[in-house]
Amino acid sequence: MSRPAGKSKLVRGAQGDWEVVIGMEIHAQVTSKAKLFSGASTEFGGAPNSQVSLVDAAMPGMLPVINAHCVAQAVRTGLGLKAKVNKKSVFDRKNYFYPDLPQGYQISQYQAPVVGEGKVLVDLPDGEIEVGIERLHLEQDAGKSLHEQHPTMSLVDLNRAGVALMEIVSKPDLRSAEEAKAYVTKLRTILRYLGTSDADMEKGNLRADVNVSVRKPGAPLNTRCEIKNVNSIRFIGQAIESEARRQIAILEDGGKIEQETRLFDPAKGETRSMRTKEEAHDYRYFPDPDLLPLELDDAFIASIAASLPELPDEKKARFVKEYGLSAYDAGVLVAERETADYFEQAAKGRDAKAAANFVINELFGRLNKAGIGIERSPVAAEQVGTILALVAEGTISGKIAKDLFEIVWEEGGDPRAIVEGRGLRQVTDTGALEQVIDEIVAKNPDKTAQAKAKPAVLGWFVGQVMRATAGKANPQVVNELLKKKLGV
Ligand code: MN
């Protein structure tokens, strides 16, 4: 694994430095209209138990039927993770008892998953690291137990029972909360580009189990604890940090880490014990006799490979090469496919660096302020393109471009027509500007005197002229005229 040199990721304890070792299991809900083994709908937000087939309810004698679309989605994701797709995989029963699991087992994959080893490149402020993917397997989600809706009963909603999940297991390659957060962010970007999961943590269709252990640098791996079902990227970071501190405190005290499953409590900002960790044999895995092994042929895999979109890493490299953007700016723009498309449309035939700056600073700033995503931006890429063209041809100044953007945001319309209609054209007419300059110079004899000795005062005069012209003066022309007038 490559890791940027020189940056220590160690955590300081009372007795020296510790290294935090993190591996993640991400459960991502597969984008599919129907469930993994039944035709019931996967629509979010339906009335309780309105999307439950006889298979999902585990009625006696009902048989699961594999949903080919979900298999294709898993293969697509595997190819997007540069992973090995296994042409033969097996569905197993993972046996455990829980009220929201009517079958008494989850259909999952154990020894033979559909996707094997792959890798994800993760962007960090100080460089890039490669995180290994151990495997990706398909499995069913469980239903939901609702404990708060009735004073003396727990209720069960099976709408989610049987929905397809991809469990994506990383190698223990992550070394800090920051790296773990960046990894999940990158994985989410890839899944969205592929269209294989909405990966929306708020809706619960991306959930993270985080494995954390600590060790002295260079020492063998220590016992780990698994923090279950962390449901936001911020909480992932907090959970790792608090869990690492807890383990370091125990070890420095001469204690021993017990392998267990823990829960993160966002209110307290700490993890607490949930149960001692089960071993695989506790689940009594065995191949599901109701399902044949899953066999994929080369043509099926090849047709999916042929339909893959340009992925974020490739797009980023292209933006750097084709548009001359910095790696950082390119990374920001490709984080969402919609943003990358927007940028490319705005930049078409124009100064791409100016377009990138405008999209990253003006557009993103305004979207953040409004609390909306780019897909709901009231200013279209074409309109931003026109604003950039107006600046490039000298019709408006950079300052007016920002005002113009705000007008288009609030009122819509053609930027070019707005410039004409509101008289926003840049003033380059030296006669008109000289008149303004003469007035300012006459009113400020002290500053005029200073300007000769202190050239920095020139900037003050430029500011005054820009103010007097409501930002419409061409700054270069003003500069020239002022220099002549003040003799600097
Ligand atoms: Mn799982």
Side-chain angles (χ1 to χ4, degrees):
M1 183 184 69
S2 59
R3 177 174 299 281
K7 287 275 171 185
S8 167
K9 304 279 182 189
L10 303 179
V11 173
R12 186 162 291 274
Q15 298 158 25
D17 289 339
W18 294 84
E19 185 176 40
V20 185
V21 179
I22 305 151
M24 304 192 88
E25 293 163 24
I26 302 287
H27 287 90
Q29 186 179 320
V30 175
T31 300
S32 164
K33 288 198 164 66
K35 295 182 181 180
L36 185 53
F37 297 112
S38 84
S41 168
T42 60
E43 193 82 46
F44 182 78
N49 296 309
S50 63
Q51 296 159 200
V52 186
S53 78
L54 296 172
V55 174
D56 309 323
M59 288 299 159
M62 299 309 299
L63 291 172
V65 177
I66 186 86
N67 177 342
H69 176 67
C70 294
V71 175
Q73 292 284 60
V75 170
R76 193 173 166 79
T77 305
L79 294 172
L81 299 175
K82 320 280 186 225
K84 177 171 178 288
V85 174
N86 292 325
K87 286 165 73 179
K88 183 170 175 184
S89 66
V90 175
F91 285 103
D92 296 277
R93 291 185 178 180
K94 181 180 182 180
N95 298 277
Y96 68 96
F97 175 78
Y98 209 75
D100 59 24
L101 187 75
Q103 290 168 149
Y105 56 85
Q106 175 193 36
I107 304 177
S108 180
Q109 296 189 300
Y110 181 49
Q111 268 160 348
V114 64
V115 173
E117 292 188 329
K119 63 181 179 189
V120 173
L121 287 179
V122 178
D123 306 301
L124 296 164
D126 52 356
E128 199 174 59
I129 56 166
E130 189 181 301
V131 176
I133 296 296
E134 181 72 38
R135 59 186 276 153
L136 176 157
H137 67 250
L138 276 167
E139 63 183 29
Q140 301 175 296
D141 207 344
K144 267 184 199 163
S145 298
L146 309 166
H147 306 294
E148 269 109 49
Q149 313 210 334
H150 192 280
T152 57
M153 285 190 279
S154 285
L155 306 176
V156 174
D157 176 6
L158 293 180
N159 282 355
R160 209 178 61 185
V163 167
L165 299 176
M166 294 178 283
E167 180 171 333
I168 303 167
V169 181
S170 85
K171 293 183 188 283
D173 285 348
L174 299 156
R175 293 290 177 271
S176 70
E178 288 313 311
E179 290 188 5
K181 282 156 63 178
Y183 165 72
V184 178
T185 304
K186 182 61 177 285
L187 194 58
R188 189 173 63 178
T189 297
I190 295 170
L191 294 171
R192 287 182 178 166
Y193 265 65
L194 292 166
T196 54
S197 175
D198 294 344
D200 187 341
M201 293 191 96
E202 273 174 32
K203 285 188 182 159
N205 55 33
L206 191 85
R207 309 193 290 268
D209 299 343
V210 192
N211 287 291
V212 180
S213 65
V214 299
R215 65 177 174 190
K216 286 288 179 183
L221 284 176
N222 223 326
T223 307
R224 63 187 162 89
C225 289
E226 177 178 8
I227 312 160
K228 270 275 176 215
N229 271 330
V230 190
N231 61 7
S232 88
I233 290 186
R234 192 160 58 91
F235 291 162
I236 288 171
Q238 292 174 359
I240 290 169
E241 278 168 7
S242 70
E243 177 61 14
R245 279 196 302 273
R246 185 186 74 87
Q247 293 184 15
I248 290 168
I250 292 173
L251 293 169
E252 291 193 334
D253 227 28
K256 203 171 139 262
I257 305 299
E258 298 295 334
Q259 181 168 343
E260 61 182 355
T261 302
R262 301 180 66 85
L263 278 180
F264 177 66
D265 181 344
K268 289 189 180 145
E270 60 189 33
T271 65
R272 65 180 152 81
S273 183
M274 185 183 167
R275 55 173 189 245
T276 55
K277 172 74 184 173
E278 311 76 0
E279 299 290 343
H281 62 248
D282 294 326
Y283 289 116
R284 292 169 292 124
Y285 279 102
F286 63 88
D288 192 316
D290 291 341
L291 290 158
L292 289 168
L294 184 60
E295 291 187 40
L296 309 176
D297 61 34
D298 291 324
F300 176 76
I301 298 168
S303 75
I304 294 170
S307 75
L308 288 189
E310 182 183 33
L311 289 164
D313 293 332
E314 298 152 16
K315 205 184 273 292
K316 181 180 167 187
R318 181 169 64 80
F319 279 14
V320 169
K321 194 164 169 244
E322 192 175 321
Y323 299 113
L325 303 184
S326 68
Y328 180 82
D329 283 355
V332 170
L333 291 171
V334 305
E336 282 180 64
R337 199 170 167 176
E338 292 78 8
T339 309
D341 290 347
Y342 189 106
F343 157 75
E344 284 206 282
Q345 229 182 311
K348 209 172 203 165
R350 306 197 171 93
D351 178 349
K353 279 188 190 172
N357 279 338
F358 203 90
V359 168
I360 291 170
N361 297 316
E362 304 311 317
L363 179 70
F364 286 6
R366 197 61 185 81
L367 289 168
N368 272 342
K369 195 173 147 198
I372 57 175
I374 198 160
E375 68 288 348
R376 286 178 55 209
S377 168
V379 183
E382 270 315 303
Q383 290 168 307
V384 166
T386 305
I387 293 173
L388 292 166
L390 287 163
V391 176
E393 69 200 34
T395 307
I396 59 172
S397 65
K399 158 87 179 68
I400 292 294
K402 293 176 187 180
D403 299 346
L404 178 57
F405 173 74
E406 185 61 29
I407 295 170
V408 177
W409 179 285
E410 290 292 340
E411 303 166 20
D414 172 28
R416 208 168 272 281
I418 294 169
V419 167
E420 296 311 327
R422 304 207 181 182
L424 298 176
R425 265 180 178 279
Q426 187 159 243
V427 181
T428 45
D429 168 15
T430 46
L433 290 176
E434 262 174 313
Q435 211 178 326
V436 177
I437 289 171
D438 285 342
E439 276 171 37
I440 293 170
V441 167
K443 271 190 220 154
N444 299 282
D446 48 333
K447 291 266 182 201
T448 307
Q450 281 174 26
K452 293 212 172 64
K454 240 166 85 186
V457 178
L458 188 72
W460 180 85
F461 276 101
V462 175
Q464 294 301 304
V465 177
M466 295 310 283
R467 230 170 97 183
T469 57
K472 287 186 292 181
N474 180 324
Q476 280 103 316
V477 176
V478 172
N479 238 302
E480 295 298 309
L481 292 173
L482 274 169
K483 276 184 187 166
K484 237 185 274 173
K485 185 86 197 164
L486 300 171
V488 293

